[in-house]
Protein backbone atom coordinates (compact mmCIF):
# COMPACT_ATOMS: atom_id res chain seq x y z
CA UNK A 1 0.00 0.00 0.00
CA UNK A 2 1.13 3.52 -0.64
CA UNK A 3 1.73 6.31 1.80
CA UNK A 4 3.01 4.97 5.11
CA UNK A 5 2.26 8.32 6.77
CA UNK A 6 -0.96 9.07 4.92
CA UNK A 7 -3.63 10.61 7.17
CA UNK A 8 -6.16 8.42 5.37
CA UNK A 9 -4.35 5.11 5.80
CA UNK A 10 -2.82 4.94 9.28
CA UNK A 11 0.08 2.58 9.61
CA UNK A 12 1.30 1.96 13.15
CA UNK A 13 4.86 3.15 13.65
CA UNK A 14 5.60 -0.06 15.53
CA UNK A 15 5.85 -1.67 12.08
CA UNK A 16 8.92 -0.55 10.14
CA UNK A 17 8.84 0.46 6.45
CA UNK A 18 10.85 -2.66 5.65
CA UNK A 19 8.25 -4.80 7.38
CA UNK A 20 5.44 -3.06 5.48
CA UNK A 21 7.18 -4.01 2.24
CA UNK A 22 6.87 -7.66 3.29
CA UNK A 23 3.16 -7.14 4.02
CA UNK A 24 2.69 -5.55 0.59
CA UNK A 25 4.45 -8.44 -1.09
CA UNK A 26 2.13 -10.88 0.66
CA UNK A 27 -0.87 -8.86 -0.53
CA UNK A 28 0.29 -9.43 -4.09
CA UNK A 29 1.00 -13.12 -3.47
CA UNK A 30 -2.28 -13.92 -1.72
CA UNK A 31 -4.71 -11.70 -3.64
CA UNK A 32 -7.41 -13.54 -5.65
CA UNK A 33 -7.26 -16.65 -3.47
CA UNK A 34 -10.54 -17.62 -1.88
CA UNK A 35 -11.74 -19.07 1.40
CA UNK A 36 -14.86 -21.02 2.34
CA UNK A 37 -17.32 -20.80 5.19
CA UNK A 38 -19.50 -23.87 5.81
CA UNK A 39 -19.07 -24.96 2.20
CA UNK A 40 -19.75 -21.56 0.60
CA UNK A 41 -16.98 -19.57 -1.09
CA UNK A 42 -16.02 -16.31 0.59
CA UNK A 43 -14.13 -13.68 -1.37
CA UNK A 44 -12.35 -12.39 1.70
CA UNK A 45 -8.92 -12.56 3.22
CA UNK A 46 -9.26 -14.98 6.20
CA UNK A 47 -7.32 -12.56 8.39
CA UNK A 48 -10.01 -9.96 7.72
CA UNK A 49 -12.58 -12.57 8.71
CA UNK A 50 -10.84 -12.85 12.07
CA UNK A 51 -10.98 -9.06 12.38
CA UNK A 52 -14.69 -9.12 11.56
CA UNK A 53 -15.49 -11.60 14.33
CA UNK A 54 -13.46 -9.50 16.78
CA UNK A 55 -15.40 -6.38 15.80
CA UNK A 56 -18.78 -8.14 15.94
CA UNK A 57 -18.10 -9.64 19.37
CA UNK A 58 -16.77 -6.32 20.65
CA UNK A 59 -19.54 -4.05 19.37
CA UNK A 60 -22.47 -6.50 19.30
CA UNK A 61 -24.45 -5.15 16.34
CA UNK A 62 -28.02 -6.36 15.95
CA UNK A 63 -28.00 -5.62 12.21
CA UNK A 64 -25.20 -6.04 9.68
CA UNK A 65 -25.86 -4.45 6.28
CA UNK A 66 -23.74 -5.99 3.52
CA UNK A 67 -23.50 -4.27 0.14
CA UNK A 68 -22.42 -6.98 -2.29
CA UNK A 69 -23.73 -10.51 -1.67
CA UNK A 70 -21.79 -12.49 -4.25
CA UNK A 71 -22.63 -16.13 -3.56
CA UNK A 72 -23.69 -15.43 0.03
CA UNK A 73 -20.73 -16.99 1.83
CA UNK A 74 -19.82 -13.84 3.72
CA UNK A 75 -23.46 -13.15 4.60
CA UNK A 76 -23.62 -16.65 6.10
CA UNK A 77 -20.39 -15.97 7.98
CA UNK A 78 -21.80 -12.78 9.50
CA UNK A 79 -25.08 -14.53 10.39
CA UNK A 80 -23.15 -17.38 12.02
CA UNK A 81 -21.13 -15.05 14.25
CA UNK A 82 -24.24 -13.09 15.23
CA UNK A 83 -26.06 -16.32 16.13
CA UNK A 84 -23.19 -17.36 18.39
CA UNK A 85 -23.25 -14.19 20.47
CA UNK A 86 -26.91 -13.18 20.63
CA UNK A 87 -30.51 -13.94 19.71
CA UNK A 88 -32.33 -11.94 17.07
CA UNK A 89 -29.40 -10.62 15.06
CA UNK A 90 -29.88 -10.14 11.33
CA UNK A 91 -27.88 -9.68 8.13
CA UNK A 92 -29.27 -7.64 5.24
CA UNK A 93 -27.30 -8.50 2.09
CA UNK A 94 -27.77 -6.59 -1.18
CA UNK A 95 -26.77 -7.43 -4.75
CA UNK A 96 -27.99 -6.83 -8.28
CA UNK A 97 -27.09 -10.34 -9.42
CA UNK A 98 -29.43 -13.31 -8.98
CA UNK A 99 -27.62 -15.74 -11.32
CA UNK A 100 -25.37 -17.66 -8.95
CA UNK A 101 -23.80 -19.81 -11.65
CA UNK A 102 -22.84 -16.71 -13.64
CA UNK A 103 -21.20 -15.33 -10.51
CA UNK A 104 -19.24 -18.56 -10.03
CA UNK A 105 -18.03 -18.48 -13.64
CA UNK A 106 -16.88 -14.89 -13.17
CA UNK A 107 -15.31 -15.28 -9.73
CA UNK A 108 -13.91 -18.82 -10.01
CA UNK A 109 -13.18 -19.57 -13.67
CA UNK A 110 -10.70 -22.29 -12.67
CA UNK A 111 -13.37 -24.33 -10.86
CA UNK A 112 -15.58 -26.77 -12.81
CA UNK A 113 -19.34 -26.55 -12.47
CA UNK A 114 -20.95 -28.32 -9.54
CA UNK A 115 -18.14 -27.59 -7.09
CA UNK A 116 -20.14 -25.01 -5.13
CA UNK A 117 -23.77 -24.98 -3.88
CA UNK A 118 -26.48 -24.17 -6.41
CA UNK A 119 -28.27 -21.69 -4.15
CA UNK A 120 -27.29 -18.99 -1.73
CA UNK A 121 -27.29 -20.04 1.92
CA UNK A 122 -30.28 -19.67 4.17
CA UNK A 123 -30.03 -18.93 7.87
CA UNK A 124 -32.17 -17.37 10.61
CA UNK A 125 -32.11 -13.60 10.30
CA UNK A 126 -30.47 -13.61 6.84
CA UNK A 127 -32.30 -11.35 4.36
CA UNK A 128 -31.42 -10.84 0.70
CA UNK A 129 -32.37 -7.73 -1.25
CA UNK A 130 -32.02 -7.66 -5.04
CA UNK A 131 -31.16 -4.23 -6.36
CA UNK A 132 -28.53 -1.56 -6.82
CA UNK A 133 -27.09 -0.67 -3.42
CA UNK A 134 -27.48 3.08 -4.02
CA UNK A 135 -30.98 2.99 -5.55
CA UNK A 136 -33.70 4.75 -3.50
CA UNK A 137 -35.91 1.66 -3.69
CA UNK A 138 -33.13 -0.46 -2.18
CA UNK A 139 -32.52 2.02 0.60
CA UNK A 140 -36.22 2.01 1.47
CA UNK A 141 -36.13 -1.78 1.84
CA UNK A 142 -33.01 -1.60 4.00
CA UNK A 143 -34.58 1.06 6.21
CA UNK A 144 -37.68 -1.08 6.68
CA UNK A 145 -35.61 -4.05 7.89
CA UNK A 146 -32.85 -2.33 9.84
CA UNK A 147 -33.10 -2.14 13.61
CA UNK A 148 -30.86 -1.74 16.65
CA UNK A 149 -27.11 -1.35 16.71
CA UNK A 150 -25.89 -1.50 13.12
CA UNK A 151 -22.67 -2.22 11.26
CA UNK A 152 -22.20 -1.74 7.49
CA UNK A 153 -19.91 -3.59 5.06
CA UNK A 154 -19.32 -2.16 1.56
CA UNK A 155 -18.18 -4.78 -0.95
CA UNK A 156 -20.14 -4.28 -4.16
CA UNK A 157 -19.00 -2.30 -7.21
CA UNK A 158 -15.49 -1.01 -6.51
CA UNK A 159 -15.38 2.18 -8.56
CA UNK A 160 -14.42 5.24 -6.54
CA UNK A 161 -17.69 7.09 -7.17
CA UNK A 162 -19.91 4.12 -6.36
CA UNK A 163 -18.09 3.39 -3.10
CA UNK A 164 -18.18 7.07 -2.16
CA UNK A 165 -21.93 7.14 -2.84
CA UNK A 166 -22.36 4.07 -0.65
CA UNK A 167 -20.32 5.67 2.13
CA UNK A 168 -22.53 8.74 2.10
CA UNK A 169 -25.78 6.77 1.94
CA UNK A 170 -24.98 4.02 4.44
CA UNK A 171 -22.90 5.92 7.02
CA UNK A 172 -26.07 7.24 8.74
CA UNK A 173 -27.11 3.64 9.50
CA UNK A 174 -23.93 3.03 11.53
CA UNK A 175 -24.40 3.18 15.31
CA UNK A 176 -21.81 4.99 17.47
CA UNK A 177 -18.89 2.66 18.29
CA UNK A 178 -19.87 0.36 15.39
CA UNK A 179 -18.07 0.18 12.05
CA UNK A 180 -18.42 1.15 8.43
CA UNK A 181 -16.10 -1.30 6.67
CA UNK A 182 -14.92 -0.46 3.14
CA UNK A 183 -13.52 -3.56 1.49
CA UNK A 184 -10.74 -3.99 -1.08
CA UNK A 185 -8.90 -0.72 -0.52
CA UNK A 186 -5.81 -2.57 -1.69
CA UNK A 187 -6.83 -2.51 -5.37
CA UNK A 188 -5.85 0.24 -7.84
CA UNK A 189 -2.18 -0.20 -6.97
CA UNK A 190 -2.41 -0.24 -3.16
CA UNK A 191 -0.58 -2.56 -3.91
CA UNK A 192 -2.63 -4.99 -6.08
CA UNK A 193 -4.58 -4.61 -9.34
CA UNK A 194 -2.70 -1.60 -10.73
CA UNK A 195 -4.82 -1.89 -13.88
CA UNK A 196 -7.55 0.01 -11.99
CA UNK A 197 -6.28 3.31 -13.37
CA UNK A 198 -9.26 5.38 -12.19
CA UNK A 199 -8.93 4.48 -8.54
CA UNK A 200 -11.13 2.39 -6.29
CA UNK A 201 -12.33 2.07 -2.69
CA UNK A 202 -9.17 3.58 -1.18
CA UNK A 203 -9.72 6.82 -3.08
CA UNK A 204 -13.34 6.86 -1.93
CA UNK A 205 -12.26 6.53 1.71
CA UNK A 206 -9.65 9.26 1.24
CA UNK A 207 -12.42 11.58 0.05
CA UNK A 208 -15.02 10.50 2.59
CA UNK A 209 -13.04 10.67 5.83
CA UNK A 210 -12.03 14.36 5.83
CA UNK A 211 -15.68 15.34 5.37
CA UNK A 212 -16.87 13.01 8.16
CA UNK A 213 -14.96 13.57 11.41
CA UNK A 214 -17.53 11.39 13.17
CA UNK A 215 -15.61 8.41 11.71
CA UNK A 216 -12.05 7.38 12.47
CA UNK A 217 -9.89 4.82 10.72
CA UNK A 218 -9.18 2.15 13.37
CA UNK A 219 -5.52 1.22 12.93
CA UNK A 220 -5.36 -1.04 15.99
CA UNK A 221 -6.64 -4.06 14.06
CA UNK A 222 -4.03 -3.69 11.36
CA UNK A 223 -1.30 -3.29 13.98
CA UNK A 224 -2.32 -6.60 15.52
CA UNK A 225 -3.10 -8.65 12.40
CA UNK A 226 -0.85 -6.83 9.85
CA UNK A 227 -2.60 -7.99 6.67
CA UNK A 228 -5.93 -6.42 5.75
CA UNK A 229 -7.74 -5.62 2.53
CA UNK A 230 -10.17 -3.26 4.25
CA UNK A 231 -10.66 0.14 5.88
CA UNK A 232 -12.31 -0.24 9.29
CA UNK A 233 -14.00 3.09 9.96
CA UNK A 234 -15.44 3.34 13.46
CA UNK A 235 -18.17 5.84 14.22
CA UNK A 236 -16.91 7.94 17.12
CA UNK A 237 -19.34 8.21 20.01
CA UNK A 238 -17.73 11.42 21.25
CA UNK A 239 -18.13 13.11 17.85
CA UNK A 240 -21.77 12.08 17.62
CA UNK A 241 -22.49 13.35 21.14
CA UNK A 242 -20.68 16.62 20.44
CA UNK A 243 -22.71 17.17 17.26
CA UNK A 244 -25.93 16.46 19.15
CA UNK A 245 -25.04 19.01 21.84
CA UNK A 246 -24.82 21.75 19.21
CA UNK A 247 -28.21 21.06 17.71
Amino acid sequence: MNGANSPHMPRPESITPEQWKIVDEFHTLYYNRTSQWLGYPVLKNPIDMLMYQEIIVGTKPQTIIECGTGCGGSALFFASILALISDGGQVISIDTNTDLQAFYRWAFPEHPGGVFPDTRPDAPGLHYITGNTIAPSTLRKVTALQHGRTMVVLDSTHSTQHVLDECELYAPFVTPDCYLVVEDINIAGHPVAPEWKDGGPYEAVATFLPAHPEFRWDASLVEHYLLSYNAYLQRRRDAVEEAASHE
Side-chain angles (χ1 to χ4, degrees), residues 33-102:
R33 297 173 189 261
T34 189
S35 306
Q36 291 191 34
W37 182 258
L38 301 179
Y40 287 87
V42 180
L43 294 175
K44 293 191 186 327
N45 165 16
I47 299 177
D48 277 308
M49 294 173 72
L50 278 175
M51 294 188 200
Y52 271 124
Q53 66 78 28
E54 188 170 317
I55 286 172
I56 293 168
V57 171
T59 61
K60 295 179 172 56
Q62 294 164 282
T63 297
I64 297 176
I65 301 170
E66 178 188 44
C67 293
T69 304
C71 54
S74 57
L76 179 61
F77 168 75
F78 292 137
S80 300
I81 301 301
L82 286 179
L84 287 171
I85 66 170
S86 66
D87 294 325
Q90 65 169 350
V91 177
I92 305 168
S93 190
I94 311 156
D95 207 305
T96 56
N97 181 48
T98 58
D99 187 341
L100 199 55
Q101 295 306 316

Side-chain angles (χ1 to χ4, degrees), residues 124-204:
L126 177 50
H127 308 280
Y128 295 112
I129 294 176
T130 300
N132 189 309
T133 56
I134 62 175
S137 58
T138 299
L139 288 161
R140 286 193 293 270
K141 293 175 183 177
V142 172
T143 301
L145 288 169
Q146 181 262 344
H147 64 77
R149 292 177 58 77
T150 299
M151 167 182 167
V152 172
V153 178
L154 305 182
D155 190 22
S156 62
T157 301
H158 288 338
S159 69
T160 298
Q161 188 58 57
H162 185 86
V163 177
L164 183 57
D165 289 343
E166 287 183 330
C167 286
E168 296 289 352
L169 291 168
Y170 285 89
F173 287 106
V174 180
T175 307
D177 296 331
C178 288
Y179 286 79
L180 170 67
V181 183
V182 182
E183 295 221 352
D184 294 303
I185 61 163
N186 59 341
I187 68 170
H190 304 293
V192 303
E195 65 272 13
W196 284 65
K197 301 297 184 183
D198 296 327
Y202 171 83
E203 286 72 19

